[in-house]
Amino acid sequence: DHGHGDNLALAFWMNAAFAVIEVIGGLYTNSVAILSDALHDFGDSLALGSAWFFERKSKQRRSETYTYGYKRFSLVGALINAVVLSVGSVFILIEAFERLLKPLQPQTTGMIFLALLGITVNGAALLRLKSGKSISEKVISLHFVEDVLGWVAVLVGSIIMKFTYAPFIDPLLSVFIAVFIVSNIYKNMKGAFQIILQGVPHNVSEDQVKSELRKFAEVESFHDLHLWTMDGNYNILTTHIVLQSPLEIVALERLKSKIKANLKKINIEHATIEFEVKGLDCGDAHEH
Ligand SMILES: [Zn+2]
Ligand SMILES: [Zn+2]
Ligand SMILES: [Zn+2]
């Protein structure tokens, strides 16, 4: 719907604009902590931008080259983000370690000002998105909580540095932010590889599928069950079902429709089923 897209766009532009402000502010105040947060916000806007782009791409119709459609293209965005953020994190960490060895007092008043601005802007975005209903809005609003907390840490650190000589706090904050960025890369990559490696989707289990199939009296047994996901949301099942007794084709079609309708309720969008008859089954009850 409309409001949803608007909120995504708002979050994208806010993060992008803020990243630019932080680069300028970080250079001006000579703070690596602020520069790390610039990378973090740049990564956020990259993720939001690619989410928006690939969400549109995924709605494109399947083609002769991509017979499954374009849903999995969102993984390309995730991989690009991971590469960009990994490279950025390495630079940030090198800079931070140099500063830890040779501490340099940043301009703390400027840092305090930027931190207050960060808390205000991210807090406002958080309040606006908190009311959102879609999953991505919830994820993004949770993310703004992390952003606000990051800025609170920068605020506390810069206040301490203003009143005591403790310039090591700035690179220390920077290392924490970099570790946070890297842990997010790890989480995202773990999810992406689970999809690429045909893992069972997170929002449905094999047991759920089995108990759904067992509800049908016509179903004697099933085998060669494969459960995977196109992009984390669009889930696919293929299986062989052995029937209690042979069914004529119309009855079989009705049974299949009912099974597919039930599978839809447990988040399986696309099911391909082979029916077999007891005693004549394919014998392909292999384990992969
Ligand atoms: Zn963030
Ligand atoms: Zn198989
Ligand atoms: Zn079979």
Side-chain angles (χ1 to χ4, degrees), residues 214-279:
R214 285 195 191 105
K215 284 181 188 165
F216 291 89
E218 298 92 330
V219 174
E220 153 78 20
S221 66
F222 39 83
H223 55 267
D224 202 11
L225 190 148
H226 299 289
L227 183 55
W228 54 285
T229 181
M230 191 71 80
D231 59 356
N233 294 313
Y234 189 89
N235 303 330
I236 294 169
L237 170 81
T238 66
T239 189
H240 296 194
I241 288 179
V242 180
L243 294 169
Q244 199 69 252
S245 56
L247 287 175
E248 51 96 11
I249 188 78
V250 176
L252 194 61
E253 284 303 322
R254 284 208 189 100
L255 173 65
K256 193 161 74 179
S257 303
K258 274 192 271 176
I259 292 175
K260 285 188 177 180
N262 278 19
L263 291 172
K264 270 239 160 70
K265 286 183 205 146
I266 55 167
N267 299 318
I268 290 167
E269 304 285 336
H270 188 115
T272 305
I273 302 169
E274 267 190 44
F275 286 104
E276 293 162 15
V277 180
K278 215 159 107 184

Side-chain angles (χ1 to χ4, degrees), residues 15 40-41 44 143 147 180:
N15 275 291
H40 169 83
D41 276 330
D44 284 356
H143 190 93
D147 287 11
F180 175 69

Side-chain angles (χ1 to χ4, degrees), residues 224 226 284 286 288:
D224 202 11
H226 299 289
D284 197 15
H286 58 263
H288 283 273

Side-chain angles (χ1 to χ4, degrees), residues 8 53 58 102 265 288:
L8 277 183
F53 175 80
S58 74
K102 262 190 261 167
K265 286 183 205 146
H288 283 273

